[in-house]
Each structure stands twice: as C-alpha cells, then as structure tokens.
Amino acid sequence: MPEQVRERKSKITASRKLLLKSLLLAKATEELAQERTEKDEEKERFLGERIPPIRIAGLSFAQLQELCQELHEKVNVVDEERYDFEAKVIHNTREIQDLNLKVFDLRGKFKRPTLRRVRVSADAMLRALLGSKHKVSMDLRANLKSVKKEDSEKERPAGVSDWRKNVEAMSGMEGRKKMFDAAKTGSGQ
C-alpha cells in the first residue's frame, strides 16, 4: 500500500510545475493591468459626469477669483461630507464590535486560540510562571514521607500474625485445643 502512495505522489515533473506556475503568474499580471486600466477609465468617466469642464479662457481677473472662491466652497463641502462619512464609519465599526462582544457574552462562547503542543518540563513551566520566585522542586519522590519497616512492624498488635505461618501448627485437634485454651486465658484475665 505505501508503494502505491509513492507512485501517485508526483505525476507532474518539476519543470512542468514551474512552467504552469509562470503561466499563471503571467495571466494574473495581465488581469491586474487590465483591471487597473478599467478602474482608471471608470474614474475618468465618473469625474466627467460629476464635474463639468472649467472654462477659463476669456475670463477677467475678478471672474477668475470668483471661480476660485466657488471651487474652494465646493471643496470645503466635499471635505465636510467626507469627514462626516468617516466619523459614521468609525462609529458603526465600534458599535459592531460592541455588539459582537455582547453576542459572545450572551452565548457564553469565546474565541479560543489555536494551541500548539509544547514540550516543557514541570520545572521550566514553574520557572516561566513564577519567574525568579521559583524555588519549589518538582522532584516528587523527595517530597514523599519516608516509612521505616521497623516502625510498621511495631505498630502491629502482637496477637495478630501472618496466618500462613501457623497453618500447620493449628491444624488437627491440637490446634483447636490451643485456640480454645488461648480464648479461655484471654477472657479469664
């Protein structure tokens, strides 16, 4: 099965891939140039419709000053409109962001970032979180309580012992007699 995957992997040679890539890039640059020329033509057409051509020939100095004042007034009006539109756009984007936050809060869902797997030891993680305050060692065996065998044997009651040791001694009638005698002496005291 892996042999079939290797055979299917590359049907196109590297030179063919390079040729196709260069053809795609050439076609894309042609389309971009064509798109730019179309935008420029559309801009010229739109400006031709909106703004009539200015006739300066044969005007006196006073008439030219009046024309400049009119053009300045028109420019000021357009700048005010542009500023108003920009303010509206900024206000709307802020409002959209606030509403998106409210929607996320109401749903209880937040955008979770994609996490990458990082191999870090516990000591390195604590050092990164706590900084220079990190003095705790993650050697868990060192923190365990040590138990001595002698202490655990002393804690066991003397009467309780391993039952496997006394199996042969307690078997038969003699063993039962010993148990009976031990019970009498224990209750008689």
Side-chain angles (χ1 to χ4, degrees), residues 55-184:
R55 296 188 183 113
I56 303 174
L59 295 176
S60 67
F61 186 71
Q63 290 173 338
L64 285 174
Q65 284 182 339
E66 287 178 19
L67 181 65
C68 287
Q69 287 177 353
E70 288 176 13
L71 290 176
H72 273 288
E73 288 173 5
K74 287 181 181 179
V75 167
N76 287 339
V77 168
V78 169
D79 280 343
E80 288 175 3
E81 289 176 0
R82 182 181 55 84
Y83 178 78
D84 291 341
F85 285 132
E86 286 178 359
K88 285 180 184 178
V89 167
I90 290 171
H91 176 72
N92 287 343
T93 54
R94 285 183 186 158
E95 190 174 336
I96 288 170
Q97 288 174 351
D98 291 341
L99 291 174
N100 281 337
L101 287 175
K102 285 182 182 179
V103 166
F104 281 125
D105 287 342
L106 290 175
R107 284 187 188 167
K109 295 180 181 177
F110 298 99
K111 287 185 180 178
R112 294 186 181 103
T114 56
L115 301 177
R116 292 182 294 145
R117 185 175 298 253
V118 179
R119 293 186 181 219
V120 179
S121 66
D123 287 333
M125 193 178 301
L126 283 175
R127 204 174 306 118
L129 291 173
L130 301 176
S132 62
K133 298 176 186 177
H134 173 63
K135 293 181 182 175
V136 178
S137 175
M138 284 304 292
D139 185 15
L140 298 176
R141 291 182 180 170
N143 294 336
L144 292 175
K145 181 180 175 183
S146 62
V147 178
K148 298 179 182 176
K149 282 190 172 183
E150 297 169 6
D151 294 340
S152 62
E153 289 176 4
K154 290 179 183 175
E155 291 177 3
R156 287 187 188 166
V160 178
S161 62
D162 192 11
W163 60 273
R164 286 168 283 192
K165 292 180 182 177
N166 299 328
V167 168
E168 287 185 21
M170 294 296 195
S171 62
M173 287 304 283
E174 295 175 5
R176 295 192 187 251
K177 184 178 178 191
K178 287 180 187 175
M179 285 175 49
F180 183 72
D181 291 340
K184 273 188 176 177

Side-chain angles (χ1 to χ4, degrees), residues 16 21 43 45 81 96 131 174 186:
R16 178 77 175 153
K21 196 175 197 180
K43 184 178 180 181
R45 185 184 52 79
E81 289 176 0
I96 288 170
E174 295 175 5

